Amino acid sequence: MSLSATNFSMAKGSTRQVSYTVLPACATNKNVTFSSNNTSVATVNSSGVITARNSGTAIITVKTKNLGKTDTLVVNVN
């Protein structure tokens, strides 16, 4: 699992797509799940679209469904 960014800022009300790569490239199951540790600040849907809701910081976790490998990114909403 590799994310293209590990930290970024968003304006309240904006959206952004999580960009990721499942490794190794030959992996047969590239399905992932997304979650936020602070949904009052930022939510993330099943397609990986983050919505900035309120000021603060949230950690978005991307997890592979096959082996449970994870990577995280920090979202700062202002």
Side-chain angles (χ1 to χ4, degrees):
M1 170 63 54
S2 175
L3 297 173
S4 63
T6 58
N7 190 325
F8 55 82
S9 296
M10 297 176 67
K12 183 178 174 182
S14 65
T15 60
R16 182 170 176 169
Q17 176 71 48
V18 175
S19 179
Y20 65 93
T21 303
V22 175
L23 299 172
C26 62
T28 56
N29 184 345
K30 296 185 186 254
N31 296 320
V32 298
T33 59
F34 302 92
S35 60
S36 171
N37 78 327
N38 193 344
T39 56
S40 66
V41 172
T43 57
V44 59
N45 69 16
S46 61
S47 298
V49 177
I50 300 168
T51 301
R53 299 175 48 124
N54 293 294
S55 295
T57 301
I59 298 172
I60 304 299
T61 301
V62 183
K63 181 178 180 180
T64 62
K65 286 190 174 182
N66 189 28
L67 295 176
K69 302 292 184 182
T70 63
D71 205 349
T72 59
L73 62 98
V74 177
V75 177
N76 297 298
V77 178
N78 36 26

